[in-house]
Amino acid sequence: MSNRAVALSTAERPGKPGKAAIAGLGLLLPGSLLILWQLLGHYGIISEMLFPTPYTIAQSFITLARDGDLWSNLRVSVARALSGFLLGGGLGLLFGILVGLFKRSERLLDPSLQMIRMIPSLAVVPLFILWFGIGEESKVLLIAKGAFFPVYINTFMGIRGTDNKLFEVSRVLGFSRVQQILRLVLPAAVPNIMLGLRLSLGLSWLGLVVAELIASTSGIGYMMSDARQFADTPVVFVGIIIFAVAGLLSDTVVRLIERRLLRWQDSYQG
């Protein structure tokens, strides 16, 4: 783009805020809430035991980080969440492609999968513990169950939303089935698949919390459960914040990948 075009483009949007202004706007609400929370706790308006101030929570975070407990538990939790996400998301993508491409596969598999989807994750926890014990297998499978369905459903919807005329064009061009999948179906379904991955990641962290709170001897969820028994509320808040930050970071990574893969898409940016 020439300098003149850049100048014209900038001149057309003189009121557009910069990155610093956007970041400041996003921090305005949480920053105000933190200040209000600190003031209420400092002057004893709210219970320090039930709602420790942000300063107390920060002190607990520093202590846990310095002792190394935080990093060892976080490493275990991240490994579990990623293992469950890769297993469940990978199978969801595979089954989504299979069911989305072939009508017979849909009739054979989709009713059973939808029935499994309706079973709450908490309902299968006792069964998973009986089958696989309280080791890593039951936790990873519980996370994988939650991660499977968002990818499966969105992949299915993305493939079925592909314009039929594109399939006709691919037949005219002599594409093989593999070429159809790689050069037509998957690119057309990418927006839905990426949405499914974002939802799947969120459910992976949710499943991790459930798995670690129920039966575990390590991980951030176990750290929170252990702190609850000793009424160590600041540590519970540290665990909650760690989960929130980890979920936000993983979602940001997927959004960056999504933005790169969908550069060709001209959509409304707000």
Side-chain angles (χ1 to χ4, degrees), residues 12-261:
E12 286 171 357
R13 294 177 292 176
K16 186 176 181 181
K19 291 182 179 178
I22 294 172
L25 192 65
L27 293 173
L28 183 62
L29 180 61
S32 303
L33 287 175
L34 283 176
I35 292 171
L36 179 64
W37 184 358
Q38 178 67 38
L39 290 174
L40 292 174
H42 180 74
Y43 290 106
I45 299 174
I46 58 176
S47 168
E48 174 76 13
M49 183 173 177
L50 296 178
F51 296 99
T53 61
Y55 179 73
T56 307
I57 296 170
Q59 283 184 317
S60 292
F61 176 84
I62 293 170
T63 303
L64 288 168
R66 191 187 297 146
D67 295 343
D69 294 341
L70 180 65
W71 308 122
S72 59
N73 286 311
L74 180 61
R75 191 163 49 247
V76 171
S77 292
V78 169
R80 283 175 184 152
L82 282 180
S83 301
F85 168 72
L86 290 175
L87 178 63
L91 289 174
L93 181 64
L94 181 66
F95 277 82
I97 293 173
L98 192 64
V99 172
L101 281 177
F102 305 106
K103 200 72 178 176
R104 289 181 180 174
S105 301
E106 182 187 358
R107 290 171 183 161
L108 177 68
L109 297 172
D110 192 61
S112 302
L113 292 174
Q114 294 300 333
M115 189 171 63
I116 296 172
R117 184 171 72 89
M118 295 301 170
I119 301 172
S121 295
L122 284 174
V124 299
V125 169
L127 201 58
F128 278 17
I129 291 176
L130 282 173
W131 284 350
F132 305 105
I134 59 171
E136 294 301 308
E137 292 87 353
S138 57
K139 298 177 184 61
V140 171
L141 287 174
L142 189 64
I143 297 166
K145 179 188 176 299
F148 175 87
F149 290 102
V151 180
Y152 166 72
I153 292 173
N154 280 283
T155 303
F156 172 77
M157 295 299 293
I159 292 174
R160 289 300 168 90
T162 307
D163 193 338
N164 200 41
K165 291 176 183 172
L166 295 176
F167 280 97
E168 293 174 2
V169 171
S170 69
R171 290 190 196 101
V172 171
L173 293 175
F175 280 11
S176 65
R177 199 61 172 168
V178 175
Q179 286 176 315
Q180 267 189 345
I181 294 171
L182 295 179
R183 299 176 64 177
L184 171 63
V185 173
L186 288 181
V190 162
N192 287 78
I193 293 173
M194 296 309 295
L195 173 62
L197 287 175
R198 290 181 63 188
L199 296 172
S200 176
L201 263 175
L203 287 177
S204 296
W205 287 107
L206 183 64
L208 175 73
V209 176
V210 174
E212 290 186 342
L213 284 176
I214 289 174
S216 182
T217 56
S218 59
I220 296 296
Y222 165 74
M223 185 183 79
M224 294 168 64
S225 179
D226 191 49
R228 177 185 57 82
Q229 294 182 22
F230 296 99
D232 195 354
T233 318
V235 174
V236 177
F237 274 93
V238 169
I240 293 171
I241 294 169
I242 291 292
F243 278 128
V245 172
L248 180 64
L249 286 177
S250 56
D251 186 67
T252 302
V253 170
V254 177
R255 288 185 69 177
L256 290 174
I257 297 171
E258 179 185 31
R259 192 176 299 172
R260 189 170 183 80
L261 290 174

